Amino acid sequence: MENTIKSIIDKYEGDKGFLVPVLQDVQKELNYLPREALDLVSSILEVPISYIFEVATFYKAFSLDPRGRIQMQLCKGTACHVRGVPLIIDHVERELNIKEGETTENLEYTFETVNCLGACALGPIMVVNGEYHGQMNIAKTSRLLKKLAKESEKSEEGKS
Amino acid sequence: MDKITSQDQLKELQESIAAKRDPDKTCITICAGTGCLAYGTQKLIDSFQEEIVKRNLQDTVELRTSGCHGFCERGPIVVIFPKKIFYQRVGLDDAPEILEKTIGNGEIIERLLYENPVNGEKLTFEDDVPFYNKQMRLLLAQNPEIDPKSFDDYISNGGYQALAKAIGSMTPESVIQEIIDADLRGRGGGGFPAGWKWDATRKAEGDVKYVICNADEGDPGAYMDRSLLEGNPHSILEGMLIGAFAIGSTEGYIYVRNEYPLAVENTELAIAKAREIGLLGKNIMGSDFNFDIKIVRGGGAFVCGESSALFASIEGRSGEPRAKYVHATDKGLYDKPTTLNNVETWANVPLIIDRGSAWYQSIGTEGSKGTKIFALVGKINNTGLVEVPMGTTLREIIFDIGGGIPDGRTFKAVQTGGPSGGCIPAEHLDTKVDFDELTKLGSMMGSGGMIVMDDRNCMVDVARYFLSFLEEESCGKCTPCREGVHQMRLILDRICAGEGKEGDIDTLEWMGQAIADGSLCALGGSAPSPVLSTIRYFRDEYEAHIRDKKCPAGVCKALITYTINADCTGCRLCVKPCPTQAITGEKKQLHVIDQDKCIQCGACYEVCKDNAVTVA
């Protein structure tokens, strides 16, 4: 991990002003911001850990907790809202038994909402591991969740 | 390619690129904006590429992936130049058929044409489509015509000529005067005259001055800045270069939302190319003007669209705004004189320098010149980007260009100005849209989001939506904003849950005023607007929630019941989706919802094809 973080910081020439991009890149590599990584950033950049926590908890893009293998992001922009996103949020929360922003215990699913993806014609939009699913409704969400569950079962079988 | 060191060289380059191009050559243009890519368009692009090679058409047919065309509702979109044959909702495996029939035999594929909803007429050419031909596209004009990854495309369309003109034949002062004369106002929502900002930054004392492009487009439902930046990044660079030349700046930043990966990618490419060719760097076009640009990705905080919070974010701090008694033009980024303009504002700059302030002045209204791009979204037939002269009425935008409300429902309100704006009801549809008129109605033009709502949208719920958005996004510095918005949201939660009390509306009104007065930045200052504007125009709906415990639009779960009416054909379509198995009934018999089990999820309402589910 140390080498990864060193090389990220080197990319920004050790400039403390680039703390946000450094953390973005660390998160991209490690999927979240583990305490260990933040400590390393703190010592290499010579920035107090309290300051790093301030920044890491201020910006929504950062996660201090591990995130799931399947990352679901539901757009919560105004256009999606008026087209029924609150009902879909309820539905996903009920089906996965987690609240928005949470990860399932087995680290399979993370369910997040984002402010606006700017693809409003397709609203409501759900992005699953980078793949867009447009014009979502409750029925389509159910089908998507079933499909994901099946795939996740298969990958479990593959592992064992 | 050699570096461009003079105006003449740029002209030569443009001519040499143009000479290699045949304007009559068939060019298949595919929209590859974020919206169309979300439809899966990449597959269509790949298939076109393969098929063109397979059919040996490389020499006669050009394939271009362009930026966003703006008619997102109808994606994937394919336009065949030079005639501009317009194919919409193209299937991902339609490439062979288009190449075979349209390119090969000159045949038009009826199925892919746009049908005019007014008379059912099939329209073959893009120029005939009402969504496009009622707009005035100046800023978006090049989007369909250039590949954002191609420097040559931008140059052959007259790119960087305005910069050459500014450097070659104007002084920094005359550039600023041109922008002041054009009366260009900031497109991010503030509407502050850009020329004045530039002038103040130029005159401010300081060895280093910064130019910043604000691409932290946070208003939910607005995406014109993304489309400009990802579709035509060089035009933004050119605007910033002209600004930097005028102000005397050597360093620039583009602060862009992390949620816009394609915009980041295309802008990075554009910057690299501009550096390679000498349009960024030292001694630009042989002059003593030096300028370079860095990209900074945002961290997903709405408040960072506010200028002083944005500076803090670039400096690597958390994005808290500061008081504005010291202007950014004196002390902005790193406490140096700074000009910050939004993407769309920068996009206007090359046009003004190229065609002159008199031309620009001829477009728009008394106080608002030029065009404005709106993101027309929500309950609207033609979702997309609409660029019209300032002063176009809401009715023209929503009905003539937007094609009205889908599913035969009625227009209820349009929300403008993002979370800082408000909801405008039907009685004001003939208002001319510009910086000043919408403010008079208690909303604002803002950055140009227009979210259309129909009779199935609850205005109390919409107000609550914006408040919870702002509550989450408040940086927490000012108590009235941090605590006040939270308290207002709790009141709205109660009202939506059927626990509203007499006097709640009054409380919301005075709290709103106090929050607006007591907050440092525009986020808190305008946070109560969505509530105050909905109370102003839809007070009866608030009263229905509070007094009658009813949600007239059928949205607030605690106040509605779903029932099945006599139109039920017993098709059983609603039985399976119901997550609580609340629906029972025999096949071909009237079904019933068990109200004790029903959780008001709306699944049955959504699937019913006979309008047999009633919400009340």
Side-chain angles (χ1 to χ4, degrees):
Chain A
M1 185 188 284
E2 200 171 338
N3 287 339
T4 314
I5 286 168
K6 263 191 188 146
S7 70
I8 289 171
I9 291 174
D10 281 349
K11 207 170 85 187
Y12 297 101
E13 294 162 3
D15 188 338
K16 290 172 194 166
F18 284 93
L19 181 59
V20 177
V22 164
L23 294 180
Q24 276 166 342
D25 290 357
V26 172
Q27 173 155 308
K28 206 172 170 189
E29 280 297 320
L30 305 175
N31 194 22
Y32 76 110
L33 297 175
R35 173 65 199 249
E36 216 186 326
L38 296 181
D39 283 336
L40 283 166
V41 173
S42 162
S43 65
I44 301 173
L45 267 187
E46 293 175 4
V47 175
I49 187 75
S50 58
Y51 187 86
I52 292 183
F53 265 101
E54 183 196 334
V55 171
T57 52
F58 182 86
Y59 294 103
K60 236 181 144 179
F62 299 127
S63 169
L64 299 180
D65 297 315
R67 301 202 296 167
R69 192 178 60 85
I70 300 169
Q71 292 181 15
M72 307 172 71
Q73 288 162 323
L74 184 63
C75 178
K76 210 166 64 166
T78 322
C80 289
H81 178 85
V82 302
R83 290 184 180 186
V85 157
L87 296 175
I88 300 176
I89 296 178
D90 288 351
H91 188 68
V92 177
E93 287 182 341
R94 200 166 48 235
E95 294 288 315
L96 295 180
N97 205 13
I98 47 172
K99 293 275 164 212
E100 73 176 84
E102 291 181 351
T103 301
T104 52
E105 256 174 45
N106 59 4
L107 294 184
E108 270 301 291
Y109 297 92
T110 293
F111 174 52
E112 290 167 339
T113 54
V114 287
N115 278 340
C116 181
L117 294 164
C120 309
L122 282 114
I125 298 181
M126 173 96 84
V127 185
V128 181
N129 287 347
E131 194 184 324
Y132 284 69
H133 299 266
Q135 277 143 5
M136 294 303 281
N137 52 28
I138 297 161
K140 274 170 102 173
T141 309
S142 290
R143 280 202 296 275
L144 179 66
L145 288 172
K146 266 186 203 142
K147 199 178 132 223
L148 291 172
K150 240 184 216 163
E151 282 168 9
S152 126
E153 239 170 65
K154 255 189 208 157
S155 80
E156 279 300 308
E157 276 167 25
K159 271 184 224 160
S160 57
Chain B
M1 216 184 276
D2 292 336
K3 288 202 175 193
I4 297 170
T5 51
S6 70
Q7 210 175 340
D8 291 340
Q9 250 184 330
L10 180 73
K11 195 88 208 155
E12 273 168 37
L13 177 66
Q14 187 193 3
E15 280 161 8
S16 77
I17 294 170
K20 279 184 236 153
R21 296 188 171 197
D22 173 8
D24 295 325
K25 189 176 174 184
T26 304
C27 177
I28 301 172
T29 302
I30 308 173
C31 175
T34 295
C36 275
L37 287 178
Y39 283 112
T41 298
Q42 190 57 47
K43 198 178 154 208
L44 180 68
I45 297 169
D46 295 344
S47 145
F48 262 114
Q49 270 165 349
E50 269 171 42
E51 289 290 326
I52 285 173
V53 175
K54 219 197 274 169
R55 288 157 204 263
N56 218 358
L57 292 170
Q58 298 98 308
D59 295 333
T60 48
V61 177
E62 201 183 320
L63 185 69
R64 179 169 54 210
T65 50
S66 73
C68 174
H69 293 208
F71 201 179
C72 312
E73 184 71 40
R74 295 280 159 174
I77 287 174
V78 172
V79 182
I80 302 167
F81 286 73
K83 285 186 181 164
K84 290 169 101 174
I85 296 168
F86 180 70
Y87 285 154
Q88 43 93 57
R89 296 209 170 143
V90 178
L92 300 183
D93 40 20
D94 282 346
E97 190 184 351
I98 293 174
L99 288 171
E100 178 86 37
K101 291 189 178 159
T102 311
I103 305 297
N105 309 333
E107 216 177 292
I108 299 294
I109 305 167
E110 282 269 321
R111 164 173 57 86
L112 300 177
L113 294 179
Y114 177 74
E115 186 184 299
N116 189 342
V118 179
N119 52 19
E121 188 191 354
K122 294 264 190 184
L123 303 169
T124 309
F125 304 106
E126 187 188 86
D127 295 338
D128 297 330
V129 175
F131 176 80
Y132 288 113
N133 68 20
K134 290 198 164 74
Q135 298 190 38
M136 182 192 236
R137 290 190 152 204
L138 302 175
L139 307 172
L140 287 172
Q142 290 187 340
N143 264 28
E145 292 174 12
I146 63 174
D147 175 349
K149 293 186 167 65
S150 162
F151 177 71
D152 286 5
D153 276 8
Y154 186 63
I155 290 291
S156 70
N157 271 277
Y160 290 107
Q161 293 295 337
L163 175 68
K165 182 177 172 185
I167 295 179
S169 58
M170 294 172 85
T171 62
E173 289 81 4
S174 66
V175 171
I176 292 177
Q177 197 54 49
E178 198 68 20
I179 300 296
I180 291 176
D181 290 344
D183 210 354
L184 172 64
R185 296 174 68 176
R187 268 24 181 191
F192 190 81
W196 296 4
K197 230 188 229 183
W198 292 20
D199 190 45
T201 313
R202 177 163 184 83
K203 288 177 179 154
E205 274 180 40
D207 45 347
V208 181
K209 290 174 185 179
Y210 293 108
V211 160
I212 297 178
C213 170
N214 185 351
D216 192 48
E217 191 177 44
D219 280 5
Y223 59 98
M224 64 292 290
D225 290 346
R226 188 205 68 205
S227 287
L228 285 171
L229 197 58
E230 78 180 23
N232 196 356
H234 281 289
S235 72
I236 311 302
L237 302 189
E238 187 175 1
M240 290 177 74
L241 273 155
I242 294 168
F245 169 74
I247 290 158
S249 160
T250 51
E251 282 179 57
Y253 287 90
I254 297 177
Y255 187 89
V256 56
R257 278 183 85 197
N258 205 25
E259 289 87 340
Y260 289 173
L262 188 59
V264 174
E265 183 189 325
N266 289 354
T267 310
E268 273 173 352
L269 262 176
I271 290 176
K273 188 67 200 179
R275 274 188 199 136
E276 184 192 320
I277 203 92
L279 290 168
L280 283 175
K282 297 221 178 298
N283 302 106
I284 294 166
M285 287 200 192
S287 70
D288 55 3
F289 167 50
N290 308 325
F291 184 65
D292 208 344
I293 297 174
K294 284 182 191 149
I295 296 182
V296 177
R297 286 170 293 148
F302 174 72
V303 72
C304 287
E306 197 275 346
S307 57
S308 59
L310 189 150
F311 301 150
S313 183
I314 294 182
E315 292 167 16
R317 296 183 282 124
S318 47
E320 282 181 12
R322 62 162 167 79
K324 293 285 189 57
Y325 44 81
V326 179
H327 294 299
T329 50
D330 287 320
K331 284 187 172 191
L333 181 63
Y334 297 111
D335 275 345
K336 305 284 184 195
T338 304
T339 279
L340 174 136
N341 283 129
N342 128 301
V343 175
E344 193 179 337
T345 316
W346 289 119
N348 273 283
V349 171
L351 288 173
I352 294 170
I353 297 303
D354 190 32
R355 303 191 203 179
S357 56
W359 162 79
Y360 197 77
Q361 276 272 340
S362 69
I363 305 161
T365 60
E366 183 62 37
S368 310
K369 301 297 179 191
T371 58
K372 177 79 194 85
I373 309 175
F374 295 99
L376 194 58
V377 301
K379 302 284 186 72
I380 184 89
N381 274 316
N382 300 337
T383 297
L385 292 180
V386 174
E387 183 177 352
V388 285
M390 295 272 192
T392 306
T393 66
L394 284 169
R395 190 183 300 281
E396 286 168 286
I397 296 173
I398 295 166
F399 288 91
D400 297 348
I401 298 171
I405 318 301
D407 304 327
R409 304 210 76 101
T410 48
F411 171 88
K412 182 168 181 179
V414 57
Q415 205 282 341
T416 65
S420 308
C423 294
I424 301 168
E427 70 216 60
H428 292 298
L429 270 175
D430 291 310
T431 305
K432 290 184 168 148
V433 182
D434 70 5
F435 283 109
D436 311 308
E437 291 304 310
L438 295 190
T439 310
K440 287 182 199 158
L441 296 178
S443 182
M444 62 190 276
M445 188 168 77
S447 64
M450 267 193 191
I451 297 97
V452 181
M453 298 176 213
D454 67 11
D455 54 332
R456 280 275 289 146
N457 288 121
C458 167
M459 303 320 278
V460 186
D461 171 71
V462 167
R464 185 171 66 138
Y465 162 78
F466 280 112
L467 279 193
S468 34
F469 176 90
L470 290 161
E471 183 186 356
E472 237 172 78
E473 296 297 341
S474 169
C475 78
K477 184 170 182 164
C478 308
T479 315
C481 171
R482 183 185 66 238
E483 301 299 331
V485 172
H486 172 67
Q487 292 302 329
M488 281 178 83
R489 202 259 301 156
L490 290 182
I491 296 175
L492 287 177
D493 273 357
R494 267 203 294 106
I495 295 176
C496 291
E499 292 156 14
K501 295 185 297 220
E502 286 298 328
D504 275 349
I505 298 178
D506 295 337
T507 311
L508 286 171
E509 282 180 322
W510 72 253
M511 279 186 81
Q513 201 50 52
I515 293 166
D517 291 343
S519 302
L520 204 53
C521 80
L523 188 150
S526 58
S529 299
V531 181
L532 299 181
S533 78
T534 44
I535 292 178
R536 177 168 165 185
Y537 296 115
F538 300 95
R539 185 179 275 267
D540 53 343
E541 212 167 317
Y542 278 84
E543 285 168 351
H545 282 70
I546 296 169
R547 291 188 192 144
D548 314 332
K549 310 293 175 204
K550 289 262 180 245
C551 175
V555 172
C556 298
K557 280 186 168 187
L559 304 179
I560 53 172
T561 43
Y562 286 88
T563 47
I564 296 178
N565 62 39
D567 290 335
C568 176
T569 57
C571 72
R572 297 193 61 79
L573 213 56
C574 59
V575 177
K576 212 171 142 202
C578 178
T580 56
Q581 288 86 43
I583 303 174
T584 47
E586 293 299 313
K587 208 171 176 183
K588 293 192 180 165
Q589 300 289 317
L590 184 72
H591 284 37
V592 182
I593 300 176
D594 180 348
Q595 295 302 334
D596 290 336
K597 286 187 184 169
C598 178
I599 54 167
Q600 288 84 27
C601 75
C604 53
Y605 183 87
E606 184 187 86
V607 293
C608 183
K609 292 190 167 56
D610 304 306
N611 289 326
V613 180
T614 316
V615 199

